[in-house]
Amino acid sequence: QSLVKDASQQELAWMSGFLSGLLASERKTETAVTIENTAPQRITILYATETGNAKSLATKLAAFAKKQSVKTKLESVEQYKTASLAKEENLFIVISTQGDGEPPVGAKKFYDFLHNDASALNNLKYGIIALGDSSYPLFCKAGEDVDIQLEKLGAQRFANLIKCDVDYEMPAAQWFEATLQSLSQNSGNKNT
């Protein structure tokens, strides 16, 4: 309990993923059957990137989800039709922060849509992986902004925002795996 009490949100996400991994290795067959039978029907992973890190990470996460028998759509926010947002059910966004706390240039249309034109998104459930560099004062600001705006539009988080520093791959993958497992369990509860 003392370890958890003093842990940051990122450390808690890491611990969650680590413990999930331990449990999964002990009950490998049982876990595989559970995820296969109760996985969410589909997820969408959107990425907003400037240097390619968010795209690379999103691609790895999509591959992991597909191995878990989850129908997965992977798309850049540049190519994404914003009108489709209201039809999404389970949305993951991987977004980097550029310059002075701004989203990537290619994400401007999507970012502006959320802040100016989007209508209620009450049926949307989402989770955000924000990438950044903690040496900058507005660390992961673009991800924070999108998270806050989606909440204002009525969407519900299925996991708290995770802020990832330059060594983002392991904490992001562990957060995603734990979140996908949680979504699977919740999906299974609704079907029983």
Side-chain angles (χ1 to χ4, degrees), residues 98-172:
Q98 307 304 314
D100 195 18
E102 298 154 3
V105 173
K108 184 166 177 27
K109 179 180 133 191
F110 180 80
Y111 190 84
D112 289 347
F113 171 79
L114 287 179
H115 286 82
N116 300 315
D117 301 321
S119 55
L121 298 171
N122 297 329
N123 295 324
L124 178 68
K125 293 187 251 6
Y126 72 96
I128 296 179
I129 300 174
L131 304 182
D133 183 337
S134 61
S135 66
Y136 288 89
L138 296 173
F139 175 58
C140 293
K141 180 77 167 104
E144 289 176 344
D145 290 347
V146 170
D147 181 54
I148 290 167
Q149 195 58 29
L150 285 172
E151 182 183 40
K152 283 181 183 177
L153 293 168
Q156 295 96 38
R157 286 180 199 90
F158 46 60
N160 287 328
L161 165 83
I162 179 172
K163 296 181 186 180
C164 297
D165 209 339
V166 292
D167 293 324
Y168 58 87
E169 286 197 28
M170 185 181 294

Side-chain angles (χ1 to χ4, degrees), residues 61-76:
L61 300 179
F64 174 81
K66 288 176 183 177
K67 285 181 184 176
Q68 304 304 315
S69 302
V70 177
K71 285 186 182 178
T72 305
K73 180 171 86 174
L74 173 67
E75 196 167 348
S76 164

Side-chain angles (χ1 to χ4, degrees), residues 8-85:
S8 70
Q9 193 173 31
Q10 189 173 6
E11 291 167 332
L12 288 171
W14 181 89
M15 285 186 257
S16 174
F18 178 76
L19 293 173
S20 293
L22 284 177
L23 289 172
S25 66
E26 289 177 14
R27 293 183 280 155
K28 194 172 189 177
T29 306
E30 181 182 330
T31 302
V33 169
T34 301
I35 288 177
E36 186 176 317
N37 292 337
T38 63
Q41 289 188 4
R42 64 186 171 133
I43 63 170
T44 298
I45 302 174
L46 297 180
Y47 61 88
T49 191
E50 192 72 33
T51 62
N53 290 340
K55 179 181 180 179
S56 173
L57 177 61
T59 302
K60 289 175 184 173
L61 300 179
F64 174 81
K66 288 176 183 177
K67 285 181 184 176
Q68 304 304 315
S69 302
V70 177
K71 285 186 182 178
T72 305
K73 180 171 86 174
L74 173 67
E75 196 167 348
S76 164
V77 294
E78 271 184 273
Q79 305 300 318
Y80 186 73
K81 292 181 173 80
T82 53
S84 300
L85 197 57

